[in-house]
Amino acid sequence: MKFQNIKPGLILLISFLAYTAYWSYVSIIRYYSLSISPRLMANMLLGWEAVHGQIYLLGHGIAYALFPIFLSGSYISLIIFSSVVTGLGIFPLYGIASTKLNDRRAALLISISYLLYFPLIALNWSVFTFQSLFPVLFLSGYYFYLKRMLKLSFVSFALSCFVGFPYPVFVLAFGLGILWKERNRLGIYLIILSAIVLVAGIFVPGLP
């Protein structure tokens, strides 16, 4: 079978699975060897307290969407989840690149190179941070926007606002950009939401 005849979706899936398996393995080994950052424990405690109503989170409000993991108290589940969501960005990125470039091979190379991007490696090395959800959420929001699936785009961008500071700033900038370019309601909604999160974060605990 020639490389050209292999479907890009299959190559993306294999790359994603290999990436997830590798970083899950590395992170679990580091966890059992006690060589991970205390941030993993801190974020697990933060999420556990949030879903049990002991604290209220705005800046890291995405923790409420992860309540099954935090309720279980399983560090291994949190580690694997982090590796999975970090690598998932490869799929919306491929959709964006193929839409913009109209070249599946170039889009595939860009998407795979994303997995080698150094800041992404740094996210995996941190084992788990709420910020690890931002790339896939923001990229998904942009992909849905390009496909004119505006409701899904808004949901993705909205969720990306709640992974922590300063990420609502990027959503605010995107909202301003599309409002200037197209004058559509999505831009207005994103500006309002991100501004609320940024301002409220000054007064509500959970936004460092």
Side-chain angles (χ1 to χ4, degrees), residues 20-187:
T20 300
Y22 172 77
W23 278 110
S24 296
Y25 172 77
V26 169
S27 298
I28 290 172
I29 292 297
R30 291 181 62 219
Y31 171 73
Y32 281 115
S33 64
L34 304 178
S35 61
I36 61 172
S37 167
R39 180 179 295 181
L40 173 66
M41 286 71 171
N43 285 329
M44 173 63 86
L45 178 61
L46 192 67
W48 191 92
E49 290 178 338
V51 298
H52 283 84
Q54 297 182 10
I55 59 173
Y56 175 76
L57 294 178
L58 176 66
H60 294 313
I62 194 70
Y64 296 106
L66 309 181
F67 72 92
I69 297 176
F70 291 122
L71 285 176
S72 72
S74 171
Y75 288 101
I76 300 301
S77 298
L78 196 60
I79 288 171
I80 295 174
F81 173 79
S82 180
S83 299
V84 169
V85 297
T86 305
L88 276 176
I90 191 176
F91 297 106
L93 181 58
Y94 174 78
I96 294 167
S98 59
T99 300
K100 285 289 188 179
L101 302 176
N102 198 29
D103 185 333
R104 294 196 303 172
R105 184 178 300 178
L108 185 62
L109 292 174
I110 291 171
S111 303
I112 293 176
S113 66
Y114 163 84
L115 298 178
L116 304 176
Y117 185 48
F118 181 76
L120 201 69
I121 295 174
L123 280 177
N124 278 292
W125 194 252
S126 298
V127 181
F128 175 79
T129 63
F130 292 105
Q131 289 85 347
S132 62
L133 287 92
F134 182 78
V136 64
L137 290 173
F138 191 87
L139 290 171
S140 296
Y142 185 44
Y143 171 73
F144 291 136
Y145 166 74
L146 291 177
K147 295 298 182 180
R148 314 313 296 174
M149 303 166 68
L150 299 185
K151 290 182 179 179
L152 288 175
S153 178
F154 175 76
V155 170
S156 297
F157 280 125
L159 289 173
S160 72
C161 278
F162 294 98
V163 301
F165 185 83
Y167 296 100
V169 173
F170 297 107
V171 178
L172 176 63
F174 185 84
L176 289 170
I178 62 174
L179 182 62
W180 176 267
K181 180 181 179 181
E182 298 185 9
R183 312 284 181 180
N184 64 21
R185 288 183 294 177
L186 176 63

